[in-house]
Amino acid sequence: MPSISLPTRQQVTAFLNKDRWTTSQAADLPNPVPPCWDFKGRAKRMRDHLTLREFSGALGDIGTLVPILISLTIQGSASLTSSLFFGGLWNILTGFFYGIPMCVQPMKSIAAIALTNRFTPGELAGAGLGVSAIVFFLGISRLLWLVTRFVPIPVVKGLQLGTCFQLCKKGIALIKTNASFWGDSVIWSDNLWWACSSFLLVLFVYERRRVPVALLIFILGVVFALAQTGSHQQFDQVHPGAHFVHVVVPSSEEFRTGFLSAGLGQLPLTLLNSVVALAALSRDLFPGYDPSLTHITMSIGIMNLVGCFFGSMPFCHGSGGLAGQYFFGARTELSLYFLGAIKILIGIVFGESLLVVLKWFPSSFLGVMLFMASIELGLVARNFTLHPQDEQRRRQDFVVLLCTAAALVGFSHDGLGFLVGMAAGLVFWILRRYGPNDEQMPVLALLSADGEGHHSPPTGSKPVTVHDNRLADSYVASDSSLLKGKARVALEGCV
């Protein structure tokens, strides 16, 4: 009878880590984040970053969280108590497991469709459960490893750049909610004056990372919200006390409606932005840190397979949220511990009655914070190629990046942006692999494009003649970077 041998520890470790984004450069750098079981190393790292900037960074993603949370709760699709409690719990567990300010944010595509179609709590839960189950399966089965194997870096950077533009647009939409400088419609606590002032404040302290600008804006927004609540005599609607979560079990019809209407559209967004782009951004912001795609997908699945059954809105990770928290100062899990504790405390003590205050929080502040956080995400697209010394390859990679970002923004869909970017990358790969390798081919083809110049035969004939030197001069002025090596020799010989 054949014996069954269990895999060794080294084999299990290799299988678990084979989906990492490790490059030779990342592998040579020390990991700045101690593992979760190294309590002494984690404590020292948090102690070194115990500043107001760390707590300010915890609030870097509220520009996305607060509007969606308020809208879904007012509509009755999600429970504010459950969303705050489980959102805070996932913040704390995420910080402990990953050791970086990896955000926990709403699934935006599901939220948008839920608001449009006025989902019931069961339909919203069905959408979140369906997406999370698929993402969890792709992660635990290692099928997502194929993405890290075949997706080129320019496509990932294009997704990040496109997401940057999408979030910038949403930030501007929030600012335009009460877009008034003066007149009868102006609101003293939420107008363009405050939007411009907070925007200039963020820019002035942009290079001064020690200033907790997000914390200052948030505190001012809370003061304004409390003042508006008092002026409208609504404090009697706030009921402090013990608030608890309630179980929500979607019916088969609610699950089908929620998943088919909202879940399928969220799936590519979660896989690309919340997993692939997030892993790449983590490596850019924390050199030497190399997160596992399997761990990220499994954490997204667990968050919603638990929380959605209690009325919480669906959560995921995201590159935009990480960029926002990093921009406003977060560097360690300490910011997530702080944010998670605040969410749990507020959710249990105030529950649904907190909406009375939250709806008065200035949208101008939220829009500015979301806009600036998006800019930080777009900055990582600068390193879009692994071949910075190869001008032709660098230009091709930049075209792939632009195609991906433009398609994502134009179609407002991460999946279509991904497909367009992959198609562009595939075309360039075929040209590099099977096309002509001579660098002077584009030069000679352009010089003879007027019909008067001609190419010389391979051997024994006259060199290329060009009757209009202005064509060559204009080409040299338009792209002087090609005048290197053989291309320079060829062009000088032609002209």
Side-chain angles (χ1 to χ4, degrees):
M1 182 175 181
S3 60
I4 301 176
S5 59
L6 296 176
T8 64
R9 181 178 179 181
Q10 291 77 10
Q11 290 173 330
V12 172
T13 303
F15 178 73
L16 291 176
N17 293 338
K18 74 174 186 176
D19 65 335
R20 293 178 180 270
W21 281 80
T22 305
T23 62
S24 57
Q25 181 180 5
D28 295 337
L29 297 174
N31 189 352
V33 182
C36 58
W37 58 82
D38 185 4
F39 298 107
K40 184 179 293 186
R42 285 286 187 92
K44 181 181 182 302
R45 186 167 178 263
M46 287 189 291
R47 189 168 56 249
D48 294 340
H49 291 83
L50 186 59
T51 62
L52 286 177
R53 286 283 299 177
E54 191 73 22
F55 298 109
S56 174
L59 307 172
D61 193 37
I62 64 172
T64 302
L65 173 66
V66 173
I68 294 178
L69 181 60
I70 293 175
S71 302
L72 288 176
T73 306
I74 291 177
Q75 182 175 276
S77 300
S79 167
L80 181 62
T81 303
S82 297
S83 298
L84 287 175
F85 177 81
F86 283 104
L89 179 62
W90 305 140
N91 277 130
I92 294 174
L93 294 179
T94 298
F96 173 77
F97 188 78
Y98 292 103
I100 63 173
M102 187 176 291
C103 73
V104 175
Q105 62 184 26
M107 289 187 174
K108 292 181 283 294
S109 179
I110 288 181
I113 297 177
L115 291 172
T116 303
N117 298 335
R118 301 190 67 85
F119 273 11
T120 65
E123 290 172 339
L124 183 66
L129 289 171
V131 172
S132 301
I134 295 177
V135 171
F136 184 85
F137 171 76
L138 291 176
I140 200 171
S141 63
R142 302 302 187 272
L143 292 177
L144 199 61
W145 174 76
L146 297 174
V147 176
T148 67
R149 173 75 171 147
F150 296 106
V151 176
I153 291 296
V155 173
V156 177
K157 299 298 182 180
L159 292 173
Q160 293 173 333
L161 185 62
T163 304
C164 160
F165 294 144
Q166 292 268 61
L167 294 178
C168 284
K169 184 179 178 180
K170 293 180 180 179
I172 294 174
L174 283 172
I175 296 173
K176 292 168 62 178
T177 303
N178 296 304
S180 300
F181 278 112
W182 46 71
D184 296 335
S185 62
V186 67
I187 302 175
W188 70 266
S189 62
D190 190 9
N191 50 60
L192 289 181
W193 292 108
W194 288 116
C196 295
S197 300
S198 56
F199 178 69
L200 293 176
L201 175 63
V202 174
L203 290 181
F204 274 120
V205 301
Y206 181 76
E207 296 296 340
R208 300 177 181 178
R209 298 293 184 175
R210 293 175 178 264
V211 180
V213 61
L215 187 61
L216 296 176
I217 295 176
F218 179 77
I219 292 175
L220 186 60
V222 170
V223 171
F224 286 174
L226 293 175
Q228 286 282 23
T229 305
S231 65
H232 289 78
Q233 299 180 355
Q234 295 177 340
F235 273 122
D236 58 340
Q237 301 178 29
V238 180
H239 307 293
H243 295 77
F244 302 99
V245 299
H246 303 283
V247 177
V248 175
V249 179
S251 64
S252 58
E253 180 64 23
E254 287 178 325
F255 182 87
R256 184 185 67 83
T257 301
F259 178 68
L260 294 180
S261 300
L264 290 179
Q266 177 68 45
L267 189 59
L269 177 64
T270 299
L271 292 175
L272 299 174
N273 181 56
S274 301
V275 181
V276 176
L278 175 66
L281 180 64
S282 301
R283 292 176 54 236
D284 289 335
L285 298 181
F286 303 92
Y289 181 73
D290 193 26
S292 167
L293 298 190
T294 298
H295 296 163
I296 297 175
T297 53
M298 291 176 65
S299 66
I300 293 175
I302 293 172
M303 283 193 300
N304 296 290
L305 292 176
V306 175
C308 287
F309 278 116
F310 294 93
S312 171
M313 65 179 179
F315 286 109
C316 63
H317 304 301
S319 57
L322 173 59
Q325 292 181 330
Y326 186 91
F327 173 79
F328 286 107
R331 295 296 183 272
T332 69
E333 67 273 28
L334 184 62
S335 60
L336 296 184
Y337 293 160
F338 169 74
L339 180 61
I342 293 296
K343 285 182 180 179
I344 293 176
L345 180 64
I346 292 178
I348 293 177
V349 174
F350 294 101
E352 311 291 329
S353 64
L354 188 66
L355 274 177
V356 178
V357 179
L358 284 180
K359 68 180 183 180
W360 290 111
F361 195 95
S363 59
S364 55
F365 289 166
L366 295 175
V368 169
M369 295 179 68
L370 180 58
F371 183 86
M372 294 306 301
S374 307
I375 298 300
E376 185 71 16
L377 174 62
L379 287 176
V380 302
R382 295 173 297 176
N383 303 320
F384 60 88
T385 182
L386 297 177
H387 309 274
Q389 304 302 325
D390 187 341
E391 183 62 30
Q392 183 180 15
R393 180 66 180 273
R394 188 170 182 269
R395 186 171 57 255
Q396 291 176 352
D397 288 346
F398 190 64
V399 170
V400 173
L401 178 143
L402 290 179
C403 290
T404 306
L408 190 153
V409 175
F411 293 108
S412 296
H413 197 285
D414 286 48
L416 292 176
F418 172 77
L419 292 178
V420 171
M422 289 296 293
L426 179 62
V427 169
F428 283 129
W429 179 81
I430 293 175
L431 291 177
R432 288 194 301 268
R433 188 172 182 86
Y434 301 105
N437 295 324
D438 192 352
E439 292 183 40
Q440 62 181 330
M441 288 299 293
V443 179
L444 298 179
L446 182 61
L447 292 177
S448 60
D450 58 355
E452 297 181 5
H454 59 275
H455 292 288
S456 60
T459 56
S461 65
K462 297 161 73 175
V464 177
T465 60
V466 179
H467 300 285
D468 190 356
N469 289 337
R470 290 175 299 175
L471 179 62
D473 293 338
S474 64
Y475 181 74
V476 173
S478 64
D479 196 352
S480 60
S481 58
L482 284 180
L483 300 184
K484 297 179 181 179
K486 294 180 180 180
R488 178 186 293 276
V489 174
L491 187 59
E492 290 177 353
C494 295
V495 180

